[in-house]
Amino acid sequence: MLKSFALAAGAATCALALSACQDQASQGGGARDYISAVGSSTVYPFATAAGEKFAEATGNKTPKIDSTGTGGGFERFCQGVGGDTPDISNASRRMKKSEFETCQKNGVKDIVEIQIGIDGIALGEAQRGPGFKLSEEDVYKALAANPYGKPNTAKTWKDVNPALPAVGISVFGPPSTSGTYDAFKELILGKGCDANPEMKALKASDTDKHEAVCTGLRGSPYYVEQGENDNLIISKLDKNPDSLGIFGFSYLDANKDKIKAVPVQGVSPTYDSIADGSYPGSRPLFIYVKKAHVGVVPGLKEYVAEFLKGAGQGGYLAEKGLIVSPKAVSDAANAAATNMTPLDGSVLK
């Protein structure tokens, strides 16, 4: 671990030093002279691109970035401070209050939240697919385990809506550890459920029951989890042209030769429709930084600045499908990164 872990002052760096010593004992010593990030598979290609630019510009080592899924990333990030824990957690949804409280309990006190841009939950199919056009309610009726409180018996899309193709319901999607999974349930599945007045009323009277009925997904062969690798979903669609896939917009944008977008509520996921919020699956993307590691792990603050540079207007991350945040959001993100302003946990849900 870094010698500066042991030299830095204060309670947070004492924890860092202790962790470093433990890590040296278990791994035979050696300093961690690189940035460690974990989390979202959606943020992963943006984080790695920014990491490569950072290394070129500064001469520092390229950050080590693991695609663990948003939930899995927060789990590792919140284990504590120190050289054996990640510096950054990439996220395709906002941190939950329960995750923030776990961090606090484990000594991760000052967490800096930075929105790096916008993405969309895209539904796609093979280029030779049937040409689906879906509503949020169609998606809900097809994939909910118990739509409107009754077991799902639909086997084909035509069972869901007579106007849809008579092909079997088959959707490849992310696992429950993924922020894309959480965002899909909130932004599309839940809205499809609430199109029913009784379900909307249930939300006000019994939130737990509403969540179970509206966001509980049925399993295989209707919804098939594909792990934290969106490229695997792309290859599955190529081999299964009647199936649909769920992934971040950047993966759709990067594979236009293989897949095409499925409109939802009459709107296709495009850069412009996600940026202006007209596409129903628009969502913010974040990185979370341990302030205790800033000034201890070489180049951490500089890497964050490089990430925001690439994510800004005219930045290189647009080529990879990242959508620029509105100016007010970008300004707030840059201020948080410059000042390393800790997140107020009271704003979380």
Side-chain angles (χ1 to χ4, degrees):
M1 290 302 110
L2 293 170
K3 292 181 180 179
S4 54
F5 281 3
L7 296 175
T13 48
C14 285
L16 282 168
L18 175 60
S19 178
C21 290
Q22 291 171 336
D23 196 55
Q24 285 176 339
S26 63
Q27 297 184 25
R32 177 154 79 75
D33 54 353
Y34 60 88
I35 294 163
S36 171
V38 294
S40 166
S41 62
T42 300
V43 178
Y44 177 82
F46 310 134
T48 52
E52 289 166 3
K53 291 282 188 181
F54 159 78
E56 289 172 9
T58 65
N60 289 63
K61 287 190 175 180
T62 304
K64 182 178 183 296
I65 301 166
D66 293 333
S67 178
T68 63
T70 297
F74 281 137
E75 186 176 339
R76 286 176 57 182
F77 181 81
C78 290
Q79 287 177 348
V81 293
D84 56 350
T85 66
D87 311 308
I88 295 173
S89 191
N90 302 321
S92 56
R93 60 162 171 80
R94 199 173 198 190
M95 177 180 275
K96 297 177 182 177
K97 191 174 187 67
S98 59
E99 291 163 336
F100 180 83
E101 290 170 348
T102 298
C103 268
Q104 300 296 298
K105 184 178 69 175
N106 292 335
V108 186
K109 298 294 185 182
D110 291 332
I111 302 166
V112 183
E113 177 186 78
I114 299 166
Q115 183 175 330
I116 52 103
I118 305 170
D119 183 44
I121 307 296
L123 273 72
E125 63 181 331
Q127 283 290 350
R128 63 187 189 282
F132 285 98
K133 295 179 181 178
L134 302 173
S135 69
E136 293 162 342
E137 196 167 14
D138 290 335
V139 178
Y140 173 69
K141 288 178 178 178
L143 295 183
N146 297 287
Y148 312 125
K150 298 178 181 178
N152 199 334
T153 58
K155 293 185 178 180
T156 72
W157 287 99
K158 197 173 184 69
D159 294 335
V160 168
N161 180 341
L164 293 175
V167 298
I169 298 167
S170 170
V171 179
F172 299 111
S176 59
T177 53
S178 169
T180 301
Y181 178 94
D182 291 333
F184 168 70
K185 292 199 300 180
E186 177 186 349
L187 298 174
I188 296 179
L189 207 67
K191 288 180 183 176
C193 178
D194 287 341
N196 180 290
E198 290 182 18
M199 294 298 103
K200 196 168 185 179
L202 180 63
K203 190 174 186 177
S205 63
D206 190 337
T207 54
D208 289 341
K209 186 175 181 182
H210 175 270
E211 184 175 357
V213 170
C214 288
T215 64
L217 281 168
R218 65 200 303 202
S220 182
Y222 308 104
Y223 182 86
V224 184
E225 294 187 7
Q226 294 299 303
E228 297 291 352
N229 184 353
D230 289 4
N231 286 315
L232 180 59
I233 298 176
I234 305 296
S235 66
K236 287 277 187 178
L237 293 181
D238 200 37
K239 297 172 185 174
N240 299 274
D242 287 340
S243 297
L244 296 180
I246 300 168
F247 30 70
F249 168 73
S250 61
Y251 287 87
L252 173 71
D253 195 50
N255 291 278
K256 291 176 182 175
D257 57 326
K258 298 175 183 174
I259 56 175
K260 58 187 177 183
V262 172
V264 178
Q265 299 295 111
V267 182
S268 290
T270 64
Y271 187 100
D272 290 339
S273 68
I274 294 169
D276 66 19
S278 59
Y279 178 68
S282 300
R283 59 170 175 173
L285 301 177
F286 301 92
I287 62 173
Y288 290 84
V289 183
K290 286 178 185 168
K291 189 171 182 178
H293 287 200
V294 175
V296 178
V297 175
L300 181 55
K301 192 170 183 179
E302 291 77 9
Y303 169 66
V304 173
E306 178 60 47
F307 205 143
L308 286 176
K309 178 184 174 183
Q313 196 68 44
Y316 54 86
L317 293 179
E319 298 173 4
K320 293 189 171 293
L322 184 65
I323 294 158
V324 177
S325 297
K327 186 177 185 304
V329 176
S330 294
D331 288 347
N334 279 290
T338 299
N339 302 317
M340 284 291 148
T341 309
L343 171 65
D344 177 1
S346 67
V347 303
L348 302 176
K349 298 178 181 179

